Amino acid sequence: MAFRHAPIAMLVADSGGHILEANKAFGALADRTPSSLCGQRWPELLAEGDRATAWDLHRAAMAIAGGGGSRVLRLGTPGNAPPRMVVEVRTLPAAESPAAENGTGDGAADSADSGDAVPSARPGHTEGGGARRTPAGVAILFREPLPDEETLRILTELRTENAGAVLWSLDLRTGRLSELFGPSPLGRTLAGDARDLEDCLARVHRDDVARVRDALEASHQGRDYEQRFRMFDRSGDEHALHARARFVDGDRPRLIGIIDDVTEHVQLVRRLADRRRIEAAQGRQVTELAAKLVSATTIDEVTGLLTEEFVPIFGGTTAHVMLVVDGVLRASPASTRKTDAIAMIDGRDAADTDYPMGAVVQDRQPRFFESRAEALERFPAAAEIMHHTSAQSWATVPIFGDRRVALGVWQVAWNQPHHATPDERALMLTLAGLAGQALQRVSRQQAELELADAMQRRLLPPLIPGFDALDIAVRYLPARAGWRVCGDFYDVIQLPDNKVGLVVGDVQGHGVEAAAAMGQIRVAFRAYATNQGDPGTVLAETNRLLGETGEIVFATCGYLVLDLASGEMQAAWAGQPPAVVATSEAFELWEPETGPPVGVDADAKYPVSTRRLRPGESLLMCSDGLLESSEFTMDAGLRQVGTVVRDRHDEGVQAIATTLTELIPAGRGDDIAVLAIRRHGSGD
């Protein structure tokens, strides 16, 4: 009686949606007698556009006891504007169903007998397949929206339908989840019919579930809830979710809140982070390659960087550099294998503007073509060249020198259409500018090296005299430490009385001043050696001469006079490393008594040490650049050098000198002078 005469319009329906009972208030609302409504499906009483939503509410309520939800829907009344009503669906236990009291048959069975397809939940089964109790029916309440309630509900529905959100409530005593206003698209995707907290937690990413549980435990103490976590939907796809809720106290403590799907936001953040990492890596790569350009020492090294190492920065397939040489274009590096297309350009007049490279050289403006059609429209004469390449797009930029003189062009090609972004274009022009500076620097260095080499050749003896009783080998290696004109020297001086003077020295410092001092000392040695038979006197006179010039010049050197007939050696040493004397069986170090380096003390005296060089023995004199460096001791260098002289003894002094200049125990941090002799014996 309370149901029939209640002031709120109500229906009772079975699990299939068939109306079992309608009260008088609903009959008045629908302008129908309550008895005439029995047996109809209650969602069919709504406006056609709202029936699907009504079925969603019905299925959600039937999914589990205590389920339900509400929506603002339109009631279908013929001939009138459909009134908008708050439709709330609640589940009813079987014992409380009016149909059970009146003996009405099972609505689900009636539905099956009707032969109509009823979009209802599968009774008796959870989503995972386990058995559960299913409510016998539902109660549907219809009431007019309160002031502003309809507006709020519409905004809420739009929020949940179009923004990937769920408005949810969790009963903290039972662990039952429900959606405040009925099923939402995101709720159906994530949970389907599941309304149990544990069923939903089973889909949370295993790395996040402990954190989610800990936060829920804190909510039992009256705290609000907020977590970001990952969850798999019913299809197995991963979602990133942001859940927020307020704690509501009372007889039924609850969390009421919203879950937002932030997957796209997380993916965007990841993409941005990946992009930043890629850009940072590219920035480091560009910096490293730019440093290589700055330190490059040859033209081929500069152009090799452009054609090989810079290309991956832009995702290009190939790259080529054409330099302007005597008015024509030449491919560089010269050792690179030329494709048919490049071979057709190599040697072409650099002023030929019918082709992209010539046009770039002449007007010094870059050219970017995203397709073959675009390139051919501007340069139809290039059609024949394009037949010999698979490239589809090109970027051709000038390589500038001083006063914006075009030294050549750098062309990057792609095997697919490619749009060069403004950042890519700016970077290409920057790198081409650095390459132009590097090319000019290398060219100037090359000219300086050629001048230095010519100067060094003039300072060293142009021709070593020959002796029947003596084999002689000399070598000179400039340092690789940024200078070429250095102070190391050697000399072989033909003396009277069948004697020969042997000199090896090392002037302190490097560069033109050291080389000039070296030239002075070598000339002084020759002048004094011709008039003085005593090597100590020659060193003393040379030392005095350096003091009289007033220049601060120091040099270590060793001067040895060899009697070719007797093999007697007289040596005066000024801080020079020991000499190596060897046969094919052994080697030993000869350390003549030494005085200070020449140029230190103008009054210094240089004692003379004597030793005999036997027939068949070899002797090596060298500067300290061969023997020691900051990482390599002289003792270790002398052991290696002595071993080489011994092992190569039978092959001759030329083999000894060549092996030493290939081995270079101490590296090339300093210049090196080597003088090796072997005295002939019987049978030699």
Side-chain angles (χ1 to χ4, degrees), residues 500-511:
V500 60
L502 306 173
V503 184
V504 171
D506 182 0
V507 177
Q508 181 190 40
H510 303 87

Side-chain angles (χ1 to χ4, degrees), residues 488-568:
D488 283 21
F489 65 96
Y490 60 81
D491 204 352
V492 178
I493 307 169
Q494 189 169 5
L495 301 175
D497 303 325
N498 197 27
K499 294 181 180 180
V500 60
L502 306 173
V503 184
V504 171
D506 182 0
V507 177
Q508 181 190 40
H510 303 87
V512 176
E513 290 184 0
M518 178 265 283
Q520 267 186 320
I521 294 172
R522 194 175 70 81
V523 171
F525 259 104
R526 277 190 165 269
Y528 291 126
T530 304
N531 299 314
Q532 296 286 346
D534 181 67
T537 303
V538 173
L539 267 182
E541 291 296 327
T542 304
N543 178 55
R544 183 181 55 79
L545 175 65
L546 288 177
E548 291 176 353
T549 62
E551 297 182 8
I552 302 176
V553 176
F554 310 120
T556 60
C557 58
Y559 177 48
L560 184 151
V561 176
L562 172 64
D563 188 320
L564 295 175
S566 65
E568 181 182 15

Side-chain angles (χ1 to χ4, degrees), residues 109-151:
D110 294 342
S111 174
D113 292 340
S114 69
D116 296 333
V118 180
S120 62
R122 291 183 300 163
H125 290 82
T126 65
E127 183 189 351
R132 71 182 181 196
R133 290 188 59 192
T134 303
V138 294
I140 307 101
L141 287 72
F142 295 80
R143 62 179 176 81
E144 293 183 0
L146 298 174
D148 293 329
E149 181 181 5
E150 184 174 10
T151 300

Side-chain angles (χ1 to χ4, degrees), residues 44 98 210 235 250 344 354 405 421 468 501 512 542 564 612 623 656 677:
E44 303 298 329
S235 301
M344 296 174 68
D354 288 339
V405 173
T421 65
D468 293 337
V512 176
T542 304
L564 295 175
R612 184 169 181 268
S623 60
I656 291 173
I677 65 171

Side-chain angles (χ1 to χ4, degrees), residues 114 162 245 324 369 563:
S114 69
N162 299 329
V324 179
F369 299 112
D563 188 320

Side-chain angles (χ1 to χ4, degrees), residues 382-450:
E384 184 180 357
I385 295 176
M386 290 187 184
H387 287 316
H388 294 84
T389 178
S390 59
Q392 300 295 316
S393 54
W394 298 265
T396 308
V397 297
I399 300 175
F400 288 130
D402 293 337
R403 298 180 298 278
R404 290 182 61 83
V405 173
L407 305 177
V409 292
W410 174 35
Q411 185 176 82
V412 179
W414 293 264
N415 278 355
Q416 67 283 332
H418 177 80
H419 171 72
T421 65
D423 287 345
E424 284 181 331
R425 298 183 183 200
L427 181 56
M428 284 184 184
L429 289 170
T430 299
L431 293 175
L434 290 175
Q437 295 174 14
L439 287 172
Q440 287 198 312
R441 173 179 53 77
V442 168
S443 297
R444 286 193 294 266
Q445 288 178 344
Q446 189 63 39
E448 291 172 359
L449 293 178
E450 292 174 359

Side-chain angles (χ1 to χ4, degrees), residues 469-470 562-568 581-585 612-618 649 677-684:
L470 201 65
L562 172 64
D563 188 320
L564 295 175
S566 65
E568 181 182 15
V581 179
T583 65
S584 58
E585 286 80 24
R612 184 169 181 268
L613 184 67
R614 297 179 179 86
E617 286 185 328
S618 298
H649 178 271
I677 65 171
R678 180 181 178 188
R679 185 177 174 224
H680 292 178
S682 57
D684 285 351

